[in-house]
Amino acid sequence: MDFVFKFIKFGIVGGTGIIVDFSITWICKEKLQLNKYISNSIGFLFAATSNYILNRIWTFQSSNKQIVREYISFLFISLIGLGFNNLVIFILHEKMKMNFYFAKIIATGIVVLWNFFANYYFTFRPC
């Protein structure tokens, strides 16, 4: 049951991450006129950092003293997720002509599963 509660908490944290991600992506793409994939990457990395902090404290209640190592593991998993994210957006937006932000929603849903399971088993290993 602890696993289910962690997944729910991870989802809630992810919800805040989506707000961070979409806000930063929108600012970079629409206001700063950066490339859509660079904007997407910047938004994703800002969200990954805020998600790490919240997941470390609240979801997984990590007491690991090697915070830098733990953050690098979380970030590495997030970067793999970013690759998945950009690939899905590329396929849906560029190839299938779906709206960029709708494609981003779908990509985000897919990447959530990767991020949770990879972080559960590698970054915040259950004892």
Side-chain angles (χ1 to χ4, degrees), residues 6 60 62-64 66 69-70 73 77 116-127:
K6 285 185 186 325
F60 297 102
S62 176
S63 59
N64 186 343
Q66 296 180 330
R69 184 177 166 275
E70 191 178 71
S73 174
I77 288 166
F116 175 75
F117 286 107
N119 280 301
Y120 183 83
Y121 288 110
F122 297 108
T123 305
F124 304 107
R125 293 184 249 298
C127 298

Side-chain angles (χ1 to χ4, degrees), residues 53-110:
I53 294 165
L54 294 172
N55 279 310
R56 176 182 165 76
I57 294 168
W58 186 54
T59 306
F60 297 102
Q61 299 166 344
S62 176
S63 59
N64 186 343
K65 302 281 188 230
Q66 296 180 330
I67 295 171
V68 172
R69 184 177 166 275
E70 191 178 71
Y71 174 70
I72 289 169
S73 174
F74 190 92
L75 191 58
F76 181 71
I77 288 166
S78 295
L79 288 171
I80 293 169
L82 174 61
F84 293 150
N85 189 284
N86 278 329
L87 177 63
V88 171
I89 289 173
F90 176 77
I91 291 167
L92 296 178
H93 177 64
E94 298 292 338
K95 299 298 182 189
M96 299 177 73
K97 305 302 180 199
M98 184 181 288
N99 174 275
F100 175 80
Y101 291 106
F102 190 65
K104 185 168 173 58
I105 289 168
I106 293 170
T108 300
I110 293 167

